[in-house]
Amino acid sequence: MDRKSIQRILEAARGVINHKDYVIIGSLSVLGCNISPPEEMLMSIDVDLYPKNDPGRASDLAASLGLGSEFEQKFGYYVDPVSPFLPTLPDEWESRLIPIAFETGVVAWFLEPNDAAVSKYARLEVRDKEWIRAGLLAGILSVPTLAYRFRETVFFDSAERKRAKSRLDEDAAWLGLQNR
């Protein structure tokens, strides 16, 4: 996946719901950073997004751009319409969105990668762990930043917070071994 693919899907979304600004969360939010992400961070074929100024319209994209759509069949990736309330995110995450304006007039507002990682620690599927570790090795993610953002995050419950913190501690130790 790359920014050109993001542009294509946002242009198609604009054609469906007539919005030009979209927030992209999840794995592909890493495309907003200025560092070229490693392949392990770009493996997703679903673009988790919602219209920035009208999140309730996200579901209107599913039929024409979602899983199983003609768009997916043609391009090999698709929109996964989401809500801004879906992920576990730190306070003030919206102020850290990274805007990328494309020449066609659509704008992608990418979730800052450390904010995306907080959400991934809360969920931590196997592919999330791979994404996080690739980001740590590439210097896109920062253990101190993540630790700080954990303090600003309302997790589902204390058990989720404890699991996420334990996983962050494991990755910090792992990163230390990788950098020896």
Side-chain angles (χ1 to χ4, degrees):
M1 189 65 76
D2 57 20
R3 282 189 185 173
K4 191 78 171 157
S5 300
I6 297 296
Q7 179 182 349
R8 180 181 294 121
I9 210 162
L10 295 185
E11 289 170 2
R14 180 176 57 188
V16 174
I17 62 172
N18 201 30
H19 284 277
K20 71 175 193 80
D21 292 274
Y22 295 87
V23 175
I24 298 176
I25 63 174
S27 298
L28 296 176
S29 62
V30 73
L31 288 168
C33 68
N34 290 326
I35 299 169
S36 184
E39 274 300 310
E40 298 89 345
M41 297 184 86
L42 302 173
M43 303 300 289
S44 182
I45 62 167
D46 61 317
V47 182
D48 301 322
L49 62 75
Y50 62 88
K52 186 175 189 294
N53 300 314
D54 194 3
R57 296 284 314 273
S59 61
D60 294 344
L61 299 170
S64 56
L65 302 175
L67 181 63
S69 67
E70 286 184 34
F71 185 92
E72 181 197 11
Q73 292 171 15
K74 182 174 181 180
F75 295 107
Y77 55 94
Y78 62 93
V79 165
D80 186 5
V82 296
S83 162
F85 306 108
L86 173 69
T88 299
L89 293 170
D91 290 343
E92 304 297 321
W93 64 271
E94 290 170 302
S95 69
R96 292 185 291 271
L97 289 171
I98 303 164
I100 304 290
F102 295 98
E103 64 272 2
T104 58
V106 293
V107 180
W109 294 81
F110 293 97
L111 187 62
E112 195 278 328
N114 286 287
D115 288 336
V118 168
S119 180
K120 289 182 172 298
Y121 274 112
R123 184 178 72 168
L124 204 66
E125 294 178 357
V126 172
R127 62 186 173 159
D128 293 332
K129 186 173 186 173
E130 293 168 1
W131 187 91
I132 290 167
R133 287 192 169 184
L136 289 169
L137 282 176
I140 293 170
L141 302 177
S142 160
V143 170
T145 300
L146 288 163
Y148 183 82
R149 301 257 172 97
F150 270 40
R151 292 194 304 257
E152 299 179 325
T153 302
V154 176
F155 288 89
F156 178 71
D157 58 21
S158 61
E160 182 182 70
R161 174 181 289 284
K162 187 176 179 179
R163 281 190 309 273
K165 176 69 170 93
S166 175
R167 292 167 180 154
L168 176 60
D169 292 344
E170 288 172 17
D171 283 348
W174 172 84
L175 185 62
L177 292 173
Q178 300 303 306
N179 289 332
R180 283 187 179 182

